[in-house]
């Protein structure tokens, strides 16, 4: 499973990309608004840091306008996946953008049927939102499992991005279910890399080494 970073914060993208683990970036209007910078400027910086698709979302809600906006967004850099919300207008936009060879990431996917429709419209990626389903007491990871099974059964090559991940267990379970990609907030990536036994084990190695040096 590939790991994308789910943020528009350049410092976070820079640090995680230095770890050598990031193969794409997802943003959304809320994440970009938090940074308070122009989209073009943020993307210009991201492309220097990450070699892989960068998802940027349209804010239009009507198909014609989504297509116009998507064409503009796709011009900003070579590897843009335009995020399109999972609505019927969105499906129309995706099927038109497929003819232009513009990769779309259908976002705000909360059911297997939505994922299937997005794939059939021609989405390159679909993003089931795990955490937001868990928030309302349903089974977010179960949705990832169902979409993986359905796409495998029908040989659908749309890539599944497990999104809205809130903690390391979500990432682990996404991998176990066979998601192609997990898009992970920076704080969760930090937690994934750490373990108290790694910290205590390292401290013990260093202490033992130091006491040996003192004895010599
Ligand atoms: C990913 O594409 C989404 O933008 C993101 O994962 C949403 O996460 P949230 O539910 O924590 O806002």
């Amino acid at each position: 499973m590939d790991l994308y970073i789910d943020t528009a914060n350049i410092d976070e993208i820079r640090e995680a990309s230095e770890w050598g683990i990031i193969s794409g970036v997802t943003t959304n209007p809320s994440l970009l608004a938090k940074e308070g910078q122009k989209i073009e400027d943020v993307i210009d910086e991201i492309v220097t840091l990450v070699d892989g698709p960068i998802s940027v979302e349209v804010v239009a809600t009507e198909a014609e306008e989504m297509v116009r906006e998507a064409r503009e967004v796709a011009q900003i850099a070579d590897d843009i996946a335009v995020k399109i919300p999972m609505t019927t207008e969105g499906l129309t936009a995706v099927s038109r953008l497929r003819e232009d060879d513009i990769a779309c990431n259908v976002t705000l996917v909360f059911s297997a049927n939505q994922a299937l429709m997005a794939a059939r419209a021609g989405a390159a990626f679909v993003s089931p939102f795990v955490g937001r389903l868990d928030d309302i007491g349903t089974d977010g990871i179960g949705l990832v499992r169902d979409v993986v099974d359905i796409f495998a059964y029908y040989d659908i090559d749309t890539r599944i991005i497990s999104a809205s991940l809130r903690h390391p267990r979500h990432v682990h379970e996404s991998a176990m279910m066979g998601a192609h990609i997990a898009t992970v907030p920076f704080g969760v990536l930090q937690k994934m890399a750490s373990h108290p036994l790694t910290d205590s084990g390292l401290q013990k190695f260093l202490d033992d080494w130091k006491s040996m040096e003192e004895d010599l």
Side-chain angles (χ1 to χ4, degrees), residues 6 26-28 31 83 107 127 129 132 163-166 183:
D6 193 26
T26 54
T27 67
N28 63 39
L31 293 171
K83 260 180 154 182
T107 189
S127 293
F129 273 36
R132 293 193 196 190
S164 182
L165 304 181
R166 303 276 161 79
T183 189

Side-chain angles (χ1 to χ4, degrees), residues 121-140:
F125 304 93
V126 291
S127 293
F129 273 36
V130 173
R132 293 193 196 190
L133 280 171
D134 286 359
D135 288 346
I136 59 160
T138 47
D139 180 10

Side-chain angles (χ1 to χ4, degrees), residues 57-84:
E57 191 159 338
V58 297
V59 287
T61 53
E62 181 269 321
E64 206 62 52
E65 188 56 20
M66 283 184 197
V67 170
R68 194 196 57 71
E69 207 186 318
R71 287 181 180 142
E72 271 178 24
V73 167
Q75 297 298 317
I76 303 175
D78 283 343
D79 207 353
I80 297 285
V82 182
K83 260 180 154 182
I84 303 281

Side-chain angles (χ1 to χ4, degrees), residues 126-172:
V126 291
S127 293
F129 273 36
V130 173
R132 293 193 196 190
L133 280 171
D134 286 359
D135 288 346
I136 59 160
T138 47
D139 180 10
I141 286 293
L143 172 60
V144 173
R145 182 198 56 228
D146 289 352
V147 177
V148 168
D149 287 352
I150 291 166
F151 284 13
Y153 196 74
Y154 294 104
D155 230 355
I156 291 171
D157 60 10
T158 301
R159 304 194 81 210
I160 300 158
I161 305 180
S162 193
S164 182
L165 304 181
R166 303 276 161 79
H167 47 71
R169 187 84 207 156
H170 273 157
V171 184
H172 177 144

Side-chain angles (χ1 to χ4, degrees), residues 99-117:
E99 289 161 20
D100 294 1
D101 262 345
I102 292 176
C104 292
N105 171 1
V106 174
T107 189
L108 293 165
V109 167
F110 293 99
S111 74
N113 285 333
Q114 288 182 318
L116 179 61
M117 292 172 95

